[in-house]
Amino acid sequence: ADIIDENLDLFANPGDQPGNILSTHLHAEGKYAEQLWVPEPSSTKYPKVTDNKKLHAYMNGREVFKHAVTRFPEVIQEALDQNGWDKDEVDLYIPHQANQRISQAVAKRLGVPMDKFFSNIHKYGNTTAASIPIAMAEAIREGRMKRGDKVVMAAFGAGFTWASAALIY
């Protein structure tokens, strides 16, 4: 709760100063939606007690990897361009914690050292929509994300959607 309370000001401060989200970028490519999706999502049935495979997530791993390692760098570069930042002046990149190989490929394509990419996938696995907030909280606790730092977050997910956000923490 302390980290949440402490960080609510990310949404309140105008301008290019600490505590400000500078830009967000969201994309989707629906023609690939069935490569990563839940065909029949339901809150009225429990997947563990039914044989209906359409309630379970489906992923075509090869297609997802191919697109993720392309879209992640594109959307990160979009955030950099929008804010006039060079990739090297970003203090920390926080990607969705989907797969370590994806993060490594993205860092390589961007020409950014892996030590600028926060990773905790080895601790929890893919925590889906919670992965960036968990990683952000851990980065703050570990001192890897400090007030005034330039941070870029990026994600790629179900329905073939991808996004980034640039902020000054």
Side-chain angles (χ1 to χ4, degrees):
D2 292 337
I3 286 182
I4 292 171
D5 293 339
E6 177 183 312
N7 289 293
L8 285 177
D9 65 340
L10 285 175
F11 301 99
N13 293 327
D16 190 5
Q17 60 183 327
N20 192 33
I21 295 173
L22 302 176
S23 65
T24 58
H25 313 273
L26 179 62
H27 302 275
E29 195 160 9
K31 70 181 178 181
Y32 296 109
E34 293 181 14
Q35 302 302 309
L36 180 60
W37 74 327
V38 177
E40 294 179 11
S42 174
S43 61
T44 62
K45 299 176 186 163
Y46 295 98
K48 292 181 187 207
V49 296
T50 180
D51 290 330
N52 184 351
K53 297 292 184 201
K54 291 182 178 186
L55 294 174
H56 298 274
Y58 167 79
M59 178 176 73
N60 178 340
R62 183 166 282 154
E63 276 299 302
V64 171
F65 184 87
K66 180 176 82 172
H67 284 270
V69 300
T70 300
R71 299 305 186 192
F72 262 109
E74 288 174 356
V75 79
I76 289 170
Q77 190 62 53
E78 183 177 6
L80 297 174
D81 292 346
Q82 174 73 32
N83 294 288
W85 292 355
D86 182 81
K87 65 182 181 191
D88 297 324
E89 71 183 280
V90 173
D91 297 293
L92 191 63
Y93 294 88
I94 303 178
H96 165 55
Q97 305 292 302
N99 176 305
Q100 187 66 18
R101 287 181 48 236
I102 291 172
S103 293
Q104 290 167 337
V106 171
K108 185 176 181 178
R109 284 189 182 203
L110 287 170
V112 174
M114 267 309 287
D115 65 347
K116 281 198 165 197
F117 273 68
F118 189 86
S119 178
N120 63 7
I121 193 162
H122 61 284
K123 292 182 187 178
Y124 312 113
N126 183 343
T127 56
T128 65
S131 76
I132 290 177
I134 291 169
M136 188 177 186
E138 284 193 4
I140 293 166
R141 282 194 188 112
E142 293 174 15
R144 294 208 38 211
M145 186 170 153
K146 299 172 287 312
R147 286 291 181 198
D149 280 358
K150 292 180 178 178
V151 178
V152 175
M153 301 174 286
F156 183 90
F160 264 58
T161 56
W162 60 97
S164 67
L167 63 98
I168 296 180
Y169 177 66

